[in-house]
């Protein structure tokens, strides 16, 4: 069964000014899969992730070559609608960043800036998103409390709900659980398994076991290059390259 | 052995710092006491709401209060939007290159330019070149020029205080840059921007040199009817009462009373800024 | 590269497995000798030593599980520990079969020699060889050698069939008084063939360890 390719990078190179951060990245990501991106610090995994929703454009000296196709469209083309791209490709950050608003307003934020004014629609989407992020039961009675009243794990799930509210197709997660305790981490990992039926998920993680638990495919980056990309069970029982094996078994990192 | 030495220097340091504080507090207390002793006799309801009479030896200082109020409002109208807008552009939009750095340094330096220079500049630009004549408007514009560096700096600081994660979070949800700033940065920065701005305005309210040649008058029999009229002002009135009047000793209470009112006005404005900052902290739990 | 305490522990596991292999090999060799030489004392010694081998198998098992729990190994490390556990089990069964052979030696030692035992020594040598080679393959992580051992199993089956048919047709059927000795030798052949099977299983495990290819249930 040939699955849809929803993200494809072709000979993608990325530079911070004169420094090349990513070299000739070629990768195809299937729809409704969870892809884990692993690699040592500074290997370019976050850089690659942030290229997928053009968040790298915020950096003034950023330059890129090659192509990245998201649902068939080359997002590196100058005519791309960046705002629409970012709605379609949601992002959850490493340190959860709920806005200093109520829980309700946090989730509604994306809807409001996209011009949705219908109160009923907003309420409905908020409930759906909070349910989708496995947070609804915990907050349904206090939607108008401050987002900062929530625990760290709940805040991260709130950020996930916020991203889900604008109905993206793809979710990018940059080490979403690295600041959370084991129980909260587990909840997020379970959530990812549920979410993948509706979304395509890419998760950057420095935790090997997490990548093994959570992802269908794993991509190993090192020094800006994509060294290996294969099904997770292969990557972690018998990787193709020695350097992948060395990294995965903790011989360097 | 070493410990004993540390304890002594600690106590000594603390004593010196306390002494500094006491000196400063003492000076303030002396000034205030002096003003209050000499001026309290002049303070009355009539003082505040009536115009001066009998060659300014009797009556109130109402026109000066009104004038100061008017010129401060005009200053605010020009300096707040200009200052905030400039700060937003510098912090959010401008490329961080040499040119921007130079602009910033220039703005900081302008804060140190003597107020009389602003006054003279105001005469040339507003009074003469723009044909506004000596007026409340010209004076207000001059004062706003003087306040701009403070407003811009304070606003930039307030904007810098908003973490990048707010902007990133907004953009990642599909906001345009201005949407992100308008909905997720400004609401939290504006209180801080206003606090700095109000402090700048309260300083402007008490300035004499910039309004000296641009619009303030020694004595006007009527209140300014429009922005192109001249006006009276508290700091100038105080200056006149204390140094230029033909009978200084007679009007001494009035001078001190004016000082009290001016200080009271500045105090109220600063208090407003403090209350604003308190509310800002309450809303922005981090 | 990071110096891992884990590498020391993996080395320790490897050494334990090698010791287990050595104990097992000694057991087979001595068992086969006790049959050839009809040495009662040797057979009893083998039976007595088996307890130590059993205990050592448990020790290796415990150690392996502890490593799995504490280290959550992946890739090559994971394959090493899991195949190590498997090889451990196979070695223990080989040692048990040696004990069975020793018991047969005890039975045979009371009675006169049945036949020149030409084929049984040959079969014994094959079994000892297969076990030695498969352990060599494990030590050297040599998949080709392991594959060769798997190939030798065919000859093992053939030899068993020949020996057993000869015993039944040429001895027991012709002279019923040879039943007891014949049966004992019949069983010895059976045990030797089982030892060869287990050597084959160890080779399959070695191939998985080296190349992560699963070659189980091959018909050699």
């Amino acid at each position: 069964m040939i699955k849809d390719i929803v993200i494809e990078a072709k000979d993608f190179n990325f530079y911070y000014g004169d420094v090349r951060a990513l070299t000739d990245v070629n990768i195809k990501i299937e729809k409704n899969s969870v892809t884990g991106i692993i690699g040592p610090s500074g290997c370019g995994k976050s850089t690659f992730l942030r290229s997928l929703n053009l968040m790298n454009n915020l950096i003034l000296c950023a330059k890129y070559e090659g192509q990245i196709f998201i649902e068939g469209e080359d997002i590196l083309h100058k005519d791309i609608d960046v705002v629409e791209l970012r709605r379609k490709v949601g992002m959850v950050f490493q340190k959860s960043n709920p806005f200093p608003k109520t829980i309700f307003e946090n989730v509604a934020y994306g809807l409001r800036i996209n011009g949705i004014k219908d109160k009923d629609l907003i309420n409905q989407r908020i409930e759906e998103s909070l349910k989708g992020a496995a947070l609804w039961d915990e907050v349904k009675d206090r939607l108008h409390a401050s987002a900062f009243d929530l625990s760290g794990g709940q805040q991260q799930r709130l950020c996930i709900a916020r991203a889900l509210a604008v109905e993206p197709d793809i979710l990018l997660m940059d080490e979403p659980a690295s600041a959370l305790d084991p129980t909260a981490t587990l909840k997020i990992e379970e959530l990812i398994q549920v979410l993948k039926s509706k979304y395509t998920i890419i998760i950057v993680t420095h935790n090997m076991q997490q990548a093994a638990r959570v992802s269908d495919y794993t991509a190993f980056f090192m020094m800006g290059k994509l060294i290996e990309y294969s099904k997770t069970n292969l990557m972690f029982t018998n990787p193709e390259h020695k350097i992948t094996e060395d990294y995965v078994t903790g011989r360097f990192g | 052995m070493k410990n004993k030495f540390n304890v002594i220097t600690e106590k000594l340091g603390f004593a010196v710092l306390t002494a500094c504080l006491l000196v400063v507090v003492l000076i303030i207390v002396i000034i205030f006491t002096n003003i209050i002793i000499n001026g309290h006799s002049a303070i009355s309801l009539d003082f505040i709401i009536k115009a001066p009479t009998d060659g300014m030896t009797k009556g109130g200082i109402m026109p000066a209060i009104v004038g100061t109020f008017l010129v401060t409002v005009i200053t605010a109208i020009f300096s707040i939007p200009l200052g905030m807008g400039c700060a937003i552009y510098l912090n959010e939009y401008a490329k961080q290159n040499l040119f921007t750095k130079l602009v910033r340094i220039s703005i900081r330096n302008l804060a140190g330019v003597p107020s009389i220079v602003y006054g003279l500049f105001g005469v040339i630009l507003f009074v003469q070149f723009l044909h506004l004549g000596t007026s409340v408007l010209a004076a207000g514009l001059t004062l706003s020029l003087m306040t701009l560096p403070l407003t811009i700096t304070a606003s930039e600081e307030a904007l810098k205080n908003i973490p990048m994660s707010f902007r990133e979070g907004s953009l990642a949800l599909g906001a345009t840059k201005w949407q992100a700033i308008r909905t997720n940065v400004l609401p939290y920065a504006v209180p801080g921007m206003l606090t700095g701005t109000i402090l700048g305005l309260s300083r402007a309210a008490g300035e004499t040199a910039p309004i000296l040649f641009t619009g303030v008058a020694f004595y006007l029999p009527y209140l300014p009817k429009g922005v192109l009229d001249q006006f009276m002002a508290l700091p100038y009135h105080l200056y006149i009462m204390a140094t230029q009047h033909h009978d200084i000793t007679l009007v001494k209470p009035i001078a001190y009373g004016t000082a009290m009112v001016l200080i009271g006005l500045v105090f109220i404005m600063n208090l407003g800024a403090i209350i604003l900052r308190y509310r800002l902290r309450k809303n922005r739990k981090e | 590269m990071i110096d891992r305490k884990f590498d020391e522990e993996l080395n320790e596991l490897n050494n334990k497995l090698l010791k287990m292999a050595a104990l097992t090999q000694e057991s087979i060799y001595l068992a086969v000798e006790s049959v050839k030489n009809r040495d009662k004392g040797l057979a009893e010694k083998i039976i007595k030593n088996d307890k130590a081998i059993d205990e050592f198998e448990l020790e290796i098992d415990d150690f392996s599980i502890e490593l799995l729990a504490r280290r959550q190994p992946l890739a090559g490390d994971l394959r090493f520990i899991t195949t190590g556990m498997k090889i451990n089990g196979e070695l223990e069964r080989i040692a048990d079969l040696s004990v069975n052979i020793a018991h047969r030696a005890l039975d045979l030692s009371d009675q006169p020699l049945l036949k020149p035992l030409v084929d049984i020594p040959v079969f014994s040598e094959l079994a000892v060889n297969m076990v030695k080679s498969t352990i060599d393959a494990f030590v050297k992580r040599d998949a080709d050698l392991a594959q060769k051992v798997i190939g030798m199993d065919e000859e093992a089956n053939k030899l068993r069939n020949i020996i057993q048919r000869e015993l039944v047709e040429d001895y027991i059927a012709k002279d019923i008084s040879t039943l007891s000795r014949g049966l004992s030798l019949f069983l010895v052949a059976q045990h030797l063939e089982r030892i060869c099977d287990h050597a084959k299983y160890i080779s399959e495990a070695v191939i998985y360890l080296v190349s992560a290819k699963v070659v189980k249930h091959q018909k050699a």
Side-chain angles (χ1 to χ4, degrees):
Chain A
M1 180 176 63
I2 300 176
K3 283 221 175 145
D4 290 330
I5 300 296
V6 108
I7 300 176
E8 182 176 354
K10 263 195 188 155
D11 301 323
F12 178 62
N13 289 275
F14 184 86
Y15 301 81
Y16 289 111
D18 291 325
V19 177
R20 190 190 261 207
L22 287 171
T23 307
D24 295 331
V25 177
N26 284 283
I27 193 171
K28 287 191 181 140
I29 295 185
E30 274 175 22
K31 192 166 161 169
N32 296 121
S33 66
V34 179
T35 301
I37 301 186
I38 60 173
S41 296
C43 66
K45 47 191 201 286
S46 281
T47 307
F48 179 66
L49 193 76
R50 293 167 80 95
S51 301
L52 296 177
N53 66 346
L54 293 180
M55 283 301 275
N56 275 331
N57 285 8
L58 298 182
I59 301 160
L60 291 169
C61 56
K63 281 194 308 227
Y64 33 72
E65 293 162 10
Q67 296 164 304
I68 295 182
F69 294 96
I70 302 230
E71 291 177 352
E73 218 184 329
D74 182 3
I75 66 172
L76 300 181
H77 195 269
K78 61 176 167 56
D79 289 336
I80 187 76
D81 182 351
V82 177
V83 165
E84 175 61 18
L85 171 70
R86 292 196 186 131
R87 187 202 61 72
K88 227 172 19 174
V89 181
M91 182 170 251
V92 176
F93 297 87
Q94 180 174 352
K95 191 164 178 307
S96 64
N97 58 347
F99 303 144
K101 302 178 200 278
T102 62
I103 294 170
F104 186 92
E105 282 305 323
N106 260 280
V107 185
Y109 182 80
L111 299 169
R112 293 198 202 282
I113 55 165
N114 274 299
I116 297 178
K117 289 193 170 54
D118 182 347
K119 279 208 173 76
D120 291 325
L121 181 59
I122 291 180
N123 283 329
Q124 181 198 333
R125 287 265 193 102
I126 286 180
E127 185 174 334
E128 282 170 4
S129 316
L130 285 170
K131 281 188 176 150
L135 190 60
W136 174 251
D137 287 330
E138 291 165 59
V139 300
K140 63 178 185 242
D141 297 324
R142 47 174 175 153
L143 289 176
H144 297 288
S146 162
F148 292 110
D149 288 345
L150 298 175
S151 74
Q154 288 171 323
Q155 282 183 16
Q156 191 64 303
R157 276 179 282 148
L158 177 65
C159 293
I160 294 176
R162 191 173 65 190
L164 294 181
V166 294
E167 297 191 327
D169 297 322
I170 298 167
L171 261 188
L172 304 175
M173 305 179 114
D174 195 345
E175 302 194 41
S178 66
L180 303 178
D181 66 63
T183 316
T185 300
L186 192 61
K187 284 207 180 116
I188 302 264
E189 289 179 8
E190 296 290 318
L191 181 60
I192 292 175
Q193 296 304 305
V194 171
L195 287 174
K196 82 173 187 196
S197 62
K198 283 175 82 180
Y199 309 93
T200 305
I201 299 178
I202 304 184
I203 168 171
V204 165
T205 178
H206 61 255
N207 182 333
M208 220 80 64
Q209 273 76 25
Q210 179 172 85
R213 285 192 294 270
V214 138
S215 58
D216 304 314
Y217 293 90
T218 303
F220 170 54
F221 276 77
M222 195 166 110
M223 302 220 287
K225 291 205 180 80
L226 173 61
I227 307 285
E228 199 169 324
Y229 172 61
S230 59
K231 276 190 177 282
T232 296
N233 65 335
L234 279 180
M235 175 79 78
F236 290 108
T237 56
N238 187 30
E240 214 177 293
H241 296 92
K242 179 166 193 310
I243 196 157
T244 313
E245 166 114 20
D246 285 340
Y247 178 70
V248 151
T249 53
R251 284 184 169 83
F252 74 89
Chain B
M1 283 278 284
K2 274 272 159 110
N3 251 335
K4 248 196 168 177
F5 180 69
N6 282 344
V7 170
I8 293 175
T9 44
E10 165 113 12
K11 290 205 165 138
L12 200 61
F14 185 69
V16 166
L17 293 172
T18 314
C20 292
L21 175 68
L22 287 175
V23 165
V24 171
V25 169
L26 197 65
I27 293 175
I28 294 175
V29 165
I30 290 175
I31 294 176
F32 270 39
T33 317
N34 183 31
I35 290 178
I36 291 174
I37 288 176
N38 287 308
H40 78 277
S41 55
I43 301 292
S44 65
L45 191 60
D46 281 352
F47 192 62
I48 309 267
I49 60 177
K50 283 221 169 83
T53 54
D54 298 334
M56 293 217 279
T57 53
K58 288 212 197 87
I61 53 170
M62 184 266 294
I65 297 177
V66 169
T68 296
F69 179 75
L70 266 178
V71 83
T72 309
V73 164
I74 293 180
T75 308
I77 290 175
F78 286 106
S79 72
I80 292 182
L82 260 180
M84 285 192 185
C86 183
I88 293 173
Y89 180 81
L90 276 178
N91 204 47
E92 307 288 334
Y93 286 91
K95 283 201 176 119
Q96 301 303 315
N97 53 20
L98 185 61
F99 178 69
T100 322
K101 280 204 191 106
L102 283 175
V103 167
R104 271 217 189 81
I105 294 177
S106 312
I107 293 174
R108 306 277 182 271
N109 283 338
L110 279 176
V113 167
S115 48
I116 185 66
V117 174
Y118 279 103
L120 293 174
F121 181 74
V123 169
I124 298 171
L125 178 61
F126 299 118
V127 175
Q128 294 174 349
F129 184 71
L130 289 179
H131 298 297
L132 296 176
T134 49
S135 58
V136 164
L137 183 59
L141 284 168
T142 311
L143 280 174
S144 65
L145 276 186
M146 201 185 81
T147 329
L148 268 180
L150 289 162
T151 308
I152 294 174
T153 307
S155 301
E156 266 204 283
E157 286 304 307
L159 286 168
K160 280 206 179 67
N161 253 342
I162 310 290
M164 264 312 269
S165 63
F166 282 40
R167 300 171 183 83
E168 281 191 341
S170 292
L171 290 170
L173 288 166
T176 61
K177 186 159 182 171
W178 174 239
Q179 267 182 320
I181 296 173
R182 182 173 55 84
T183 59
N184 217 24
V185 175
L186 283 184
Y188 311 111
V190 159
M193 290 163 117
L194 278 180
T195 307
T197 306
I198 290 173
L199 288 173
L201 283 177
S202 74
R203 205 194 117 189
E207 284 288 334
T208 314
I211 60 176
L212 208 49
F213 307 116
T214 51
V216 77
F218 167 50
Y219 175 73
L220 290 171
Y222 46 79
L223 291 175
K225 290 195 182 60
V227 293
L228 291 175
D229 288 341
Q230 287 189 293
F231 65 106
M232 287 174 72
L234 287 170
Y236 185 58
H237 196 73
L238 169 60
Y239 167 61
I240 296 298
M241 290 290 111
T243 58
Q244 307 286 345
H245 198 268
H246 56 265
D247 194 344
I248 292 180
T249 37
L250 182 61
V251 298
K252 189 159 115 163
I254 297 182
Y256 275 97
T258 309
M260 277 182 72
V261 170
L262 180 57
I263 290 176
L265 183 71
V266 168
F267 183 73
I268 290 173
M269 289 180 83
N270 284 355
L271 191 67
I274 291 174
I275 292 176
L276 193 62
R277 193 165 44 223
Y278 171 71
R279 270 152 128 256
L280 142 82
R281 275 206 195 112
K282 233 175 40 149
N283 284 334
R284 260 265 313 256
K285 292 163 225 164
E286 285 206 297
Chain C
M1 292 288 179
I2 301 173
D3 265 331
R4 310 185 306 164
K5 178 116 204 312
F6 187 33
D7 284 323
E8 278 175 37
E9 291 167 338
L10 289 175
N11 255 341
E12 195 185 328
L13 179 60
N14 199 43
N15 290 340
K16 284 196 211 276
L17 285 167
L18 292 181
K19 180 172 162 193
M20 181 75 177
L23 291 172
T24 304
Q25 276 181 282
E26 187 190 42
S27 204
I28 310 171
Y29 181 68
L30 292 179
V32 150
E33 285 294 298
S34 76
V35 168
K36 269 204 300 215
N37 303 335
R38 296 156 76 227
D39 188 338
K40 203 167 177 169
L42 193 55
E44 275 163 0
K45 183 166 146 205
I46 293 161
I47 294 166
K48 206 170 69 154
N49 284 345
D50 189 58
K51 186 158 178 290
I53 294 182
D54 283 345
E55 278 170 9
F56 198 51
E57 188 228 359
L58 291 177
E59 186 185 313
I60 294 179
D61 247 5
D62 279 343
F63 187 57
S64 303
I65 291 188
E66 186 194 318
L67 286 182
L68 287 177
R70 278 181 33 238
R71 299 292 187 182
Q72 289 113 45
L74 293 168
D77 298 337
L78 177 64
R79 295 201 311 277
F80 172 64
I81 296 179
T82 52
T83 53
M85 287 174 81
K86 182 168 234 147
I87 291 174
N88 185 33
E90 298 296 332
L91 288 172
E92 195 273 333
R93 254 157 266 144
I94 291 178
D96 274 350
L97 287 163
S98 305
V99 165
N100 292 349
I101 293 178
H103 277 297
R104 304 288 87 76
L106 283 179
D107 295 337
L108 287 167
S109 65
D110 290 331
Q111 305 171 49
L113 195 56
L114 178 61
K115 52 171 262 182
L117 297 181
V118 165
D119 292 328
I120 298 244
V122 167
F123 196 8
S124 314
E125 205 178 307
L126 176 65
V128 167
N129 225 352
M130 275 180 78
V131 172
K132 178 179 174 305
S133 300
T134 197
I135 287 167
D136 259 351
F138 170 67
V139 168
K140 297 192 194 129
R141 307 286 194 266
D142 186 343
D144 291 326
L145 182 55
Q147 188 63 45
K148 234 190 272 179
V149 171
I150 294 176
M152 284 157 81
D153 190 52
E154 193 182 329
E155 199 187 327
N157 290 341
K158 262 197 230 148
L159 268 176
R160 179 208 54 196
N161 291 341
I162 292 174
I163 292 173
Q164 290 185 335
R165 194 169 336 119
E166 191 193 337
L167 283 169
V168 167
E169 288 174 0
D170 295 344
Y171 289 84
I172 297 176
K174 292 193 176 144
D175 180 0
I176 199 66
S177 71
T178 61
L179 178 63
S180 163
R181 283 169 289 164
L183 261 175
S184 292
L185 289 173
F186 186 93
L187 287 173
V188 168
Q190 192 71 14
H191 297 324
L192 285 173
E193 195 272 332
R194 289 300 301 150
I195 287 178
C196 294
D197 275 346
H198 287 297
K200 180 180 76 170
Y201 300 147
I202 292 179
S203 286
E204 286 168 354
V206 170
I207 292 178
Y208 176 70
L209 171 61
V210 170
S211 66
K213 260 184 10 188
V214 176
V215 293
K216 284 199 288 207
H217 312 306
Q218 263 189 16
K219 298 286 182 246

